[in-house]
Amino acid sequence: MMIPFHHILFACVSLTCTEGLLSPSTVDQTTKYDTDSPNIPKQVHIGFGGTTNEMIVMWSTRQNDSSFVEYHNGDNSKENVKTSRGNTVYFPENSNGLQYLHRVVLTNLQPSVKYYYAVRGEKRESLSDQFSFTTPNSDGKQVFMIYGDMGTMTKSLPFIVYEATGEMKYSSIFHLGDIAYDLGREHGAIGDKFFSRVERMASRIPYMTIPGDHEMFPDSKNHYFHRISNPGKEWPMHPEDMWYSVNIGKVHFICISTEVFFTNKENIQKIMDWLVQDLEEANSRRQKYPWVIVMAHRPLYCSTDDKNEDCTKTHSVVRTHLEDMFYFYGVDLVFSGHQHMYERTWPVYKNRVLAYNYLDPRGTVHIVIGNMGNIYLAEKGSRPGGPWSSFISPSQHEMYGRLHVHNSSHIYWEVRGAQDNDLYDKRWIIQRIHGPFNKSSIFIPDPLGAAGAAWREQQDDSSDIISLRFFYMNGDDYTNRVTVLAFTIIILLFGLCFKKKILNIIRLCFVKQESLPK
Ligand SMILES: *[C@@H]1O[C@H](CO)[C@@H](O)[C@H](O)[C@H]1NC(C)=O
Ligand SMILES: *[C@@H]1O[C@H](CO)[C@@H](O)[C@H](O)[C@H]1NC(C)=O
Ligand SMILES: *[C@@H]1O[C@H](CO)[C@@H](O)[C@H](O)[C@H]1NC(C)=O
């Protein structure tokens, strides 16, 4: 866009919602956010409950009040409007913001239904604007918006809000940690500012988060536990319970905290046990939810010049803990932030590229999408940190990702500029054999039989460049190796069959040269 597109967007974003009200007489929309009325609900945001049939609605008020949500599915006749009650928590640490936090869980929602809702306290005068959300369908195509590391100073935040509420009809948003920079800063004023700024989208599209390092800062962690309510967890949340999984459409999303490996180490065993259990279950239900996708703040693989970053290290703490597990349980994709850049890897395991394509990958594909930045521009990626790096954005643009889950086998991933929607990267990922990666999908009998297998066991893998083992390793990159072997054999056979002809041609060349006149 050449024209000052931002201005148009700002105009669009600031348009008032024109949907009807639950009871039009009770709310004066134009003045709502100007009044300092203590009980006007602010910072409304939603997120999935334990399943997509549940929606958690949260908001804040200045004074103590009860928590109610009135909602209906489009028919606002009196008998169809339901009211759910939730609870209020006093959060004194938010001393520069709204200290009463409200949470109501709506249950038994139907799939693919547009629900209209408004929140209120004890009295109907406190009724909020009307908002709406649409529950995802259990089949069919889904689109998810994914980004990490976004704060109140992020220049593109208004664009993100505009995009999220537009044509694309996102099933949910995933903010991969580092929220607001920081939730607790200025005694909570920044946290309040953030949730006010994202309200327009977060009140309509489930706003799913994981904690980043900034959410574990001493001044911010309680803000994270209070302002967010993760699916199926107690609220306020607990430090030992910051991870969850949720099935949306054909995807089993696993949302973890990588901070346990750094600031919250007493919980390492808890998350590891939980992951094994969750991944076991996920694999037993892969027919229904074939895609297994992990959301993590810190990446397992990244290319950056900052050698202090865990993901650049040979013995990366995050990778050491998680990579084997993700491989054994066949995690298709890992999304992360933390690095303020965009990078996509090939299917990779233990630093080894398993294929230079995305057709039935036999290893996890890693995507770093942390370039919404903080208060500065996105960082430029450095040179590739390894052969596994397939694409690093050379641009300092802020970007977000769209994950289109078409069906059980096809995912389309695209990355767009958060100022103009310019396309920066796109890729189809096709997986028709979901499941553990260490299970070889195609069985090719070992030509050397059991004796060969025993012999290969004794060989040292790293010592030679081409050994028989190179061709016979199970699992990873197996098809590529077999292809190389097949080509070598074909060339050798070709040479044998046409031995005479080839020799004749060579001889001919020499003879001709010799017979040339001097
Ligand atoms: C808020 O009000 C409820 C009901 O009136 C009361 O039970 C609760 O103690 C109050 N909370 C605070 C922190 O004042
Ligand atoms: C899955 O989606 C892709 C892309 O839309 C399509 O080409 C493919 O035929 C679909 N596969 C099935 C089994 O529906
Ligand atoms: C894959 O790895 C898991 C976990 O170590 C192991 O239990 C399983 O036997 C392995 N499968 C194969 C086919 O090697």
Side-chain angles (χ1 to χ4, degrees):
M1 282 288 170
M2 319 249 177
I3 48 162
F5 195 49
H6 285 81
H7 295 240
I8 303 172
L9 299 182
F10 271 116
C12 299
V13 169
S14 57
L15 282 178
T16 332
C17 161
T18 48
E19 284 159 2
L21 296 166
L22 284 176
S23 50
S25 57
T26 52
V27 182
D28 178 357
Q29 276 206 317
T30 52
T31 57
K32 200 198 87 173
Y33 287 107
D34 304 332
T35 77
D36 215 21
S37 168
N39 287 22
I40 292 295
K42 294 193 176 178
Q43 306 169 35
V44 179
H45 55 104
I46 60 172
F48 289 119
T51 68
T52 50
N53 303 330
E54 288 184 7
M55 198 65 82
I56 297 171
V57 185
M58 299 187 80
W59 68 96
S60 306
T61 53
R62 195 168 296 286
Q63 282 184 9
N64 192 9
D65 207 340
S66 357
S67 311
F68 290 103
V69 172
E70 294 183 10
Y71 65 107
H72 62 80
N73 58 8
D75 163 14
N76 65 352
S77 62
K78 212 168 184 143
E79 57 283 1
N80 195 45
V81 176
K82 294 191 182 117
T83 303
S84 278
R85 187 181 189 136
N87 53 331
T88 308
V89 162
Y90 176 53
F91 182 43
E93 237 178 271
N94 198 22
S95 53
N96 209 0
L98 307 184
Q99 292 173 308
Y100 290 90
L101 304 179
H102 305 261
R103 175 185 178 264
V104 174
V105 184
L106 310 181
T107 54
N108 293 323
L109 303 174
Q110 302 301 310
S112 301
V113 171
K114 184 168 184 178
Y115 286 94
Y116 298 82
Y117 75 98
V119 308
R120 66 170 171 87
E122 198 61 40
K123 302 202 179 99
R124 289 192 57 88
E125 285 80 75
S126 57
L127 195 71
S128 72
D129 276 355
Q130 179 178 261
F131 304 99
S132 66
F133 60 81
T134 304
T135 47
N137 49 4
S138 38
D139 278 313
K141 210 186 132 184
Q142 312 264 347
V143 195
F144 303 94
M145 183 186 254
I146 303 174
Y147 52 78
D149 306 73
M150 188 174 79
T152 55
M153 309 273 274
T154 300
K155 287 198 190 66
S156 309
L157 200 153
F159 181 88
I160 289 295
V161 174
Y162 163 80
E163 165 64 24
T165 50
E167 293 292 293
M168 198 47 69
K169 304 258 180 284
Y170 293 99
S171 294
S172 76
I173 298 166
F174 286 93
H175 185 156
L176 310 179
D178 283 12
I179 304 161
Y181 289 106
D182 300 318
L183 289 172
R185 227 174 89 219
E186 295 176 19
H187 303 285
I190 297 297
D192 275 30
K193 196 169 171 179
F194 181 81
F195 280 106
S196 302
R197 292 216 174 151
V198 299
E199 185 187 46
R200 190 181 152 80
M201 65 173 168
S203 58
R204 288 167 172 80
I205 304 161
Y207 201 80
M208 311 306 289
T209 72
I210 51 172
D213 46 323
H214 284 254
E215 280 66 63
M216 290 301 108
F217 285 1
D219 292 348
S220 282
K221 58 180 180 194
N222 281 330
H223 285 264
Y224 183 68
F225 298 148
H226 281 79
R227 291 171 185 272
I228 301 275
S229 173
N230 284 337
K233 302 292 169 183
E234 264 182 51
W235 179 73
M237 298 192 289
H238 301 292
E240 70 276 12
D241 213 3
M242 289 183 288
W243 38 88
Y244 59 93
S245 59
V246 59
N247 299 312
I248 312 174
K250 296 234 171 287
V251 186
H252 180 72
F253 286 102
I254 301 179
C255 302
I256 61 170
S257 164
T258 45
E259 296 321 297
V260 294
F261 305 119
F262 301 92
T263 52
N264 197 223
K265 287 186 188 161
E266 63 280 13
N267 292 315
I268 293 182
Q269 201 51 49
K270 278 211 179 86
I271 196 170
M272 298 300 281
D273 292 346
W274 176 83
L275 265 171
V276 169
Q277 195 196 332
D278 193 82
L279 282 162
E280 283 280 348
E281 268 175 49
N283 273 294
S284 69
R285 286 174 310 189
R286 255 187 131 143
Q287 286 294 95
K288 196 160 181 212
Y289 310 109
W291 296 96
V292 174
I293 296 179
V294 168
M295 300 293 183
H297 180 63
R298 301 199 198 215
L300 279 73
Y301 287 93
C302 71
S303 301
T304 165
D305 288 331
D306 187 348
K307 291 295 166 225
N308 292 321
E309 288 297 340
D310 178 65
C311 48
T312 65
K313 294 180 183 155
T314 320
H315 297 289
S316 147
V317 175
V318 178
R319 210 185 314 139
T320 307
H321 278 98
L322 300 176
E323 187 171 31
D324 277 346
M325 199 191 290
F326 290 175
Y327 184 74
F328 294 145
Y329 288 106
V331 170
D332 295 296
L333 285 156
V334 174
F335 287 95
S336 57
H338 194 57
Q339 305 301 326
H340 300 161
M341 59 177 293
Y342 171 63
E343 181 168 19
R344 165 172 53 75
T345 74
W346 296 115
V348 58
Y349 178 55
K350 291 206 190 296
N351 276 303
R352 287 163 66 180
V353 178
L354 303 181
Y356 290 100
N357 60 52
Y358 298 98
L359 186 61
D360 300 326
R362 300 316 297 150
T364 306
V365 174
H366 298 259
I367 289 173
V368 182
I369 177 105
N371 53 350
M372 290 304 287
N374 173 352
I375 54 176
Y376 33 86
L377 282 171
E379 286 146 30
K380 266 193 228 164
S382 62
R383 65 193 168 72
W388 38 259
S389 180
S390 169
F391 180 79
I392 309 172
S393 171
S395 152
Q396 278 184 293
H397 277 93
E398 293 171 355
M399 296 173 201
Y400 71 94
R402 282 183 195 160
L403 183 73
H404 304 256
V405 181
H406 281 250
N407 50 40
S408 300
S409 54
H410 285 62
I411 270 185
Y412 181 66
W413 164 247
E414 54 177 333
V415 173
R416 289 182 173 269
Q419 305 80 23
D420 43 23
N421 257 341
D422 277 358
L423 188 61
Y424 284 89
D425 188 28
K426 61 175 201 268
R427 234 3 107 127
W428 279 98
I429 295 169
I430 299 168
Q431 181 61 279
R432 292 163 301 186
I433 33 175
H434 294 275
F437 292 131
N438 67 336
K439 214 192 290 173
S440 193
S441 52
I442 316 147
F443 181 72
I444 303 172
D446 188 338
L448 299 184
W455 173 78
R456 281 193 308 280
E457 275 303 303
Q458 293 162 9
Q459 303 303 303
D460 178 6
D461 186 29
S462 56
S463 60
D464 41 8
I465 300 165
I466 294 190
S467 68
L468 272 181
R469 195 183 162 90
F470 175 82
F471 296 109
Y472 292 125
M473 281 278 288
N474 273 330
D476 58 9
D477 210 16
Y478 192 60
T479 19
N480 278 1
R481 285 153 199 252
V482 169
T483 313
V484 171
L485 182 64
F487 268 105
T488 315
I489 290 171
I490 288 168
I491 288 167
L492 285 176
L493 284 178
F494 187 84
L496 280 178
C497 293
F498 297 98
K499 193 171 68 184
K500 276 195 175 159
K501 284 212 163 132
I502 293 169
L503 286 175
N504 271 340
I505 289 168
I506 295 169
R507 207 159 41 216
L508 216 63
C509 292
F510 280 102
V511 168
K512 262 190 184 165
Q513 269 172 7
E514 279 166 13
S515 63
L516 281 175
K518 302 260 148 83

